[in-house]
Amino acid sequence: MYSKKIIDMFKNPKFAGEIKNPDAIGEVGNVKCGDIMKIYLKIDSGIIKDIKFKTYGCMAAIAASEAMCKLVKEKTLEEASKITSKDIVKELGGEMPLVKVHCSVLGMEALQKAIENYNKK
Amino acid sequence: MGKIYLDNGASTKTDNKVVQAMIPYFKEMYGNASSIHKLGKDAKLAIEKSRKTIAKSLNVIPEEIVFTSGGTESNNLALKGTAFAAASMNKEKNHIITTKIEHDCVLESAKWLETQGFKVTYLDVDKEGFVLLEKLKSAITPKTLLVSIIHGNNEIGTIQDLESIGKACKKNNVLFHTDACQSFTKANLDVKKFNLDLVTLNAHKIHGPKGVGALYVKKGTIIMPWQHGGGHEFGLRSGTENVPGIVGFAKAVKIVDSNNIKEMERLRDKLIEGVLKIPESRLNGPIGKKRLCNNANFSFKKIEGESITGYLDIMGIASSTASACSSMSLEPSHVLMAIGLSREEAHGSLRITLSRYTKEEDIDKLIKKLSKVVNKLRRISPLGG
């Protein structure tokens, strides 16, 4: 069902974890629907210097979290806010089972929420 | 890395003896059992011999065994065949009783029958998945034509007290069907004592081939065919018989050794004991003799089942989950919801199903690896580790 790339990202997520004293946090989803994604950002001069995630969900949700983090690290907030779920799917190797596309959307939403929270500060 | 297969509730390894028994019916005796030449007669003989074997294992007569393409077809025939036959004789008979924990092929057949004017009662079950006899009794009305209750539940392993249920059905003159796909050869299935009129069996859960099953139909049961054609299988199931499949099915039944049940129970209980040492884990379904000898079902808090099975798969262990994420519908298991689990608990479920090939070291390895997987996933869960 999953591509090798998705499995690899699920198996060895380099961005899994949390950041102490983050500059912003974004959390989306709920336990009822079966997916929760929480991301932590460290921001310096408008650039995402570090990013970590914690995800409750299926393999695709965890792999999508990892892919999203990989995409936006070292990007400016402006660049990062333009990341779409399609970019995340592309980073995951371009293949995503149809029923799992919402996982990549969740990744995008978590990031947007974190940026939104940061801008509110 | 060795592969450990612990998803025998989904399907089993075809026994080599079964494969060997089937091969001649592909290569040499490939005739159509309806043909009158020698090859046809050979095929017919093989079918009748197989029918006898399966009838004997159930302590019934061969004419009561109808071969089908598997459990789904048998369940469809049992429900739709009896519903339409009963209604055609007596328009008052329009009610079926089943449970909320049936396999989808029973539930979907029942739902479809509702669109055809039939009424269906879906009985609740208790926290361990047992049907409450009093609720069943009070659900039976003069309009009830059939009670259909799964014998051993495919997800949580609950073995129903079919004897008591059968008594209630007989007393009220209602047909009684059970789906015994998971329990056949693994739990006591006394067709006569349980007053069963219809029993669904299949081959691939007992180390036989896929694509073949049977429906026991007690002599005199009012039922009509669901698949029409050349009138095969006593007119109840038209279609050229799957001769190699039927032969393989019978071979699988013949080589069953009831001693295996005890060993599976022992390993199952060892597994349950080991897994429940993992913090915030629970067993779904009953313990002991009222549970299928090869089934264990757990829920783990704060993590999701598809990730657990996915991780185990990467480690070379095949298991299954009833989490929403593993299904096309993204809905959690109806069985786990029916026994009162929260959505979170249903999402975090893991089913381990053993077979007679399961070794003690497989179970030891699973317990060890599962504990690691759960820890790892909890560490990256926002719900806390």
Side-chain angles (χ1 to χ4, degrees):
Chain A
M1 178 176 173
Y2 292 120
S3 66
K4 197 177 170 294
K5 189 140 191 199
I6 293 178
I7 290 170
D8 283 345
M9 285 187 150
F10 162 73
K11 195 180 163 189
N12 297 309
K14 292 176 184 66
F15 293 94
E18 59 188 288
I19 297 172
K20 277 186 185 157
N21 308 316
D23 295 313
I25 292 178
E27 186 173 340
V28 289
N30 63 66
V31 73
K32 273 193 181 170
C33 81
D35 284 303
I36 302 174
M37 218 174 264
K38 191 170 181 179
I39 69 156
Y40 305 81
L41 295 180
K42 201 82 193 163
I43 296 159
D44 188 10
S45 315
I47 293 170
I48 298 174
K49 293 310 281 183
D50 199 8
I51 177 164
K52 294 273 182 198
F53 77 87
K54 280 205 162 186
T55 294
Y56 163 87
C58 61
M59 293 170 77
I62 292 169
S65 310
E66 173 76 3
M68 184 270 292
C69 292
K70 206 175 158 195
L71 273 175
V72 302
K73 194 174 174 185
E74 299 295 343
K75 293 263 182 354
T76 65
L77 288 179
E78 205 194 330
E79 287 166 335
S81 60
K82 285 181 189 152
I83 295 285
T84 65
S85 63
K86 273 186 189 157
D87 297 324
I88 295 173
V89 172
K90 209 172 150 194
E91 185 62 32
L92 286 167
E95 289 167 51
M96 192 77 151
L98 254 186
V99 292
K100 298 291 184 183
V101 170
H102 74 275
C103 297
S104 59
V105 176
L106 208 65
M108 177 196 72
E109 287 172 353
L111 176 68
Q112 285 173 352
K113 195 130 188 205
I115 295 173
E116 202 179 291
N117 287 342
Y118 179 76
N119 289 335
K120 268 190 218 159
K121 271 190 177 177
Chain B
M1 187 168 57
K3 292 271 176 216
I4 298 175
Y5 186 77
L6 293 169
D7 195 17
N8 291 282
S11 195
T12 58
K13 175 184 172 180
T14 313
D15 193 290
N16 195 38
K17 288 187 193 115
V18 169
V19 177
Q20 292 306 318
M22 291 171 73
I23 288 172
Y25 293 91
F26 289 111
K27 294 172 91 170
E28 293 140 32
M29 291 173 278
Y30 45 75
N32 185 322
S34 299
S35 300
I36 54 167
H37 48 63
K38 171 130 189 354
L39 282 182
K41 280 183 200 158
D42 287 345
K44 182 83 186 150
L45 268 174
I47 292 172
E48 294 320 317
K49 210 177 143 198
S50 303
R51 201 186 305 281
K52 265 187 199 161
T53 302
I54 290 160
K56 202 178 156 199
S57 78
L58 283 180
N59 192 25
V60 301
I61 56 171
E63 291 72 23
E64 294 175 318
I65 299 295
V66 175
F67 287 116
T68 68
S69 66
T72 292
E73 190 192 326
S74 294
N75 282 337
N76 270 267
L77 175 58
L79 269 79
K80 297 172 186 173
T82 55
F84 278 88
S88 72
M89 290 177 72
N90 177 356
K91 284 204 161 48
E92 289 289 296
K93 293 276 185 191
N94 71 346
H95 180 228
I96 292 167
I97 299 171
T98 185
T99 77
K100 288 186 177 167
I101 61 161
E102 298 300 312
H103 189 276
D104 280 337
C105 61
V106 167
L107 288 178
E108 292 301 318
S109 293
K111 277 187 208 160
W112 181 80
L113 282 166
E114 285 186 274
T115 70
Q116 303 300 305
F118 291 91
K119 305 269 181 257
V120 181
T121 301
Y122 302 91
L123 293 173
D124 287 320
V125 293
D126 70 12
K127 280 182 175 171
E128 291 185 324
F130 292 105
V131 170
L132 303 162
L133 191 61
E134 291 314 310
K135 286 216 172 158
L136 167 75
K137 283 180 183 166
S138 60
I140 297 176
T141 75
K143 292 184 174 179
T144 309
L145 65 100
L146 175 76
V147 169
S148 176
I149 292 175
I150 190 166
H151 187 204
N153 185 268
N154 51 307
E155 286 189 38
I156 55 171
T158 312
I159 299 175
Q160 302 294 339
D161 176 7
L162 295 190
E163 190 177 351
S164 306
I165 297 168
K167 269 185 196 149
C169 292
K170 196 181 181 187
K171 200 177 154 199
N172 291 283
N173 205 18
V174 176
L175 290 177
F176 183 26
H177 165 247
T178 193
D179 171 1
C181 285
Q182 297 285 341
S183 62
F184 182 43
T185 74
K186 292 189 196 79
N188 178 33
L189 179 60
D190 193 327
V191 171
K192 293 195 175 135
K193 200 169 163 190
F194 298 172
N195 285 306
L196 283 157
D197 299 291
L198 302 132
V199 179
T200 291
L201 308 173
N202 82 354
H204 78 99
K205 312 279 194 203
I206 61 162
H207 306 285
K210 291 168 185 63
V212 60
L215 182 66
Y216 159 74
V217 182
K218 189 180 172 182
K219 226 177 169 182
T221 300
I222 296 164
I223 184 167
M224 56 171 61
W226 197 241
Q227 181 164 309
H228 301 92
H232 307 73
E233 295 298 300
F234 317 109
L236 268 180
R237 201 274 182 180
S238 288
T240 299
E241 299 89 343
N242 172 4
V243 184
I246 289 168
V247 168
F249 185 11
K251 187 70 183 178
V253 169
K254 219 168 183 173
I255 61 177
V256 165
D257 180 351
S258 57
N259 289 322
N260 291 325
I261 295 175
K262 272 205 170 128
E263 177 60 6
M264 282 189 269
E265 276 176 340
R266 188 181 73 82
L267 292 179
R268 175 201 67 187
D269 291 342
K270 183 179 185 184
L271 166 73
I272 291 172
E273 201 192 322
V275 171
L276 289 184
K277 283 184 185 149
I278 298 173
E280 295 187 274
S281 60
R282 61 163 281 167
L283 178 74
N284 301 316
I287 51 165
K289 290 279 172 200
K290 288 184 173 178
R291 182 177 199 112
L292 284 172
C293 61
N294 69 331
N295 171 293
N297 188 307
F298 306 98
S299 282
F300 301 94
K301 284 204 169 163
K302 296 169 182 168
I303 52 176
E304 194 280 323
E306 198 232 40
S307 299
I308 307 173
T309 53
Y311 226 112
L312 288 173
D313 187 36
I314 291 168
M315 293 171 148
I317 301 174
S319 62
S320 87
T321 177
S323 110
C325 293
S326 70
S327 73
M328 296 303 280
S329 65
L330 299 178
E331 277 298 313
S333 146
H334 62 275
V335 176
L336 297 181
M337 298 307 280
I339 61 167
L341 262 60
S342 68
R343 275 177 170 257
E344 184 194 351
E345 286 169 320
H347 285 317
S349 77
L350 174 73
R351 184 186 73 168
I352 303 293
T353 39
L354 286 58
S355 81
R356 61 174 180 250
Y357 297 114
T358 306
K359 296 189 216 80
E360 184 134 19
E361 63 204 62
D362 298 341
I363 297 301
D364 293 339
K365 231 177 237 176
L366 170 71
I367 295 169
K368 228 171 159 182
K369 297 212 162 157
L370 180 59
S371 170
K372 277 187 193 159
V373 167
V374 169
N375 281 338
K376 185 157 178 164
L377 290 172
R378 278 185 180 155
R379 270 203 302 276
I380 66 169
S381 167
L383 299 171

